[in-house]
Amino acid sequence: MNLILFRQDEIGKPLPKRDDRTIHLVKVLHKSVGDSFEAGLLNGPIGQGRISAIKDDGSILVELKLDTPAPERHPLRVAVGFPRPIQLRRLLRDLSSLGVSHIDLLATELGEKSYQDTTLLTDGGAEQALIEGAIQSRDTTLPVIATYPSLRAWLAAKPWEQEPPLAGSTELASCL
């Protein structure tokens, strides 16, 4: 993890012992009370975090000083036919780490129809993959994902001509 990322509702609350971020800070980076680390707020600023306490139950308390705006996403839109779900997860992570602003998933005539039924887009798996990519690139904002029922629908919608959504939007737009 190049950046320890927090959600707004996690600020001021201890990170549980089994949380990936706690494990990374304590076991991988060997951080202890008083040590600082790179931190960011999901869809918000970047700055420094500091471990203020390690509780008896193994959870950690952190203080955050987030004073640098997140970098702007590249104004790039990537359109791709639905791949296998495992490949989709990897693709989302990698495109997020590259700083792409929009990812459009298209159903295609020759593509496997079952790939479009993936729960990755509805169960939080896609967002987690996007977050993993953002963390690796020291970013806090996530690309916007949209789905289209066909290449024809995508070309008719002309999403590249539309005003970009607000920075940091993680909504899954459906253009069915």
Side-chain angles (χ1 to χ4, degrees):
M1 288 183 195
N2 293 335
L3 182 73
I4 305 298
L5 200 54
F6 295 88
R7 294 181 185 275
Q8 183 68 43
D9 61 347
E10 294 175 321
I11 294 178
K13 297 179 182 175
L15 285 177
K17 177 182 182 176
R18 298 197 190 281
D19 188 285
D20 289 341
R21 297 165 293 182
T22 301
I23 294 167
H24 189 74
L25 285 168
V26 176
K27 302 231 186 240
V28 176
L29 299 177
H30 304 291
K31 300 287 185 182
S32 58
V33 175
D35 289 344
S36 62
F37 55 90
E38 299 284 326
L41 181 64
L42 185 61
N43 297 320
I46 296 173
Q48 293 290 307
R50 188 179 72 78
I51 298 176
S52 59
I54 299 178
K55 299 172 99 179
D56 291 336
D57 64 0
S59 63
I60 61 173
L61 291 172
V62 298
E63 297 171 353
L64 300 175
K65 182 181 179 192
L66 307 174
D67 51 6
T68 305
E72 290 289 323
R73 287 242 150 218
H74 301 297
L76 298 174
R77 177 178 295 273
V78 174
V80 63
F82 269 97
R84 294 174 189 253
I86 188 81
Q87 295 302 333
L88 176 58
R89 186 178 204 318
R90 293 175 185 155
L91 181 68
L92 294 175
R93 181 193 63 220
D94 292 345
L95 289 174
S96 178
S97 72
L98 290 172
V100 170
S101 65
H102 293 79
I103 303 168
D104 296 336
L105 300 172
L106 316 177
T108 61
E109 289 181 26
L110 298 178
E112 177 63 43
K113 302 301 180 211
S114 65
Y115 296 169
Q116 300 166 41
D117 298 330
T118 180
T119 59
L120 190 68
L121 299 175
T122 56
D123 69 0
E127 182 182 45
Q128 187 57 40
L130 295 174
I131 289 171
E132 288 172 14
I135 287 170
Q136 290 304 316
S137 64
R138 297 189 72 244
D139 197 353
T140 63
T141 56
L142 306 179
V144 176
I145 300 174
T147 61
Y148 293 84
S150 66
L151 174 60
R152 184 176 314 252
W154 182 74
L155 290 171
K158 298 180 182 177
W160 56 89
E161 292 181 351
Q162 298 171 8
E163 187 70 26
L166 295 175
S169 174
T170 59
E171 283 184 29
L172 175 66
S174 182
C175 300
L176 300 173

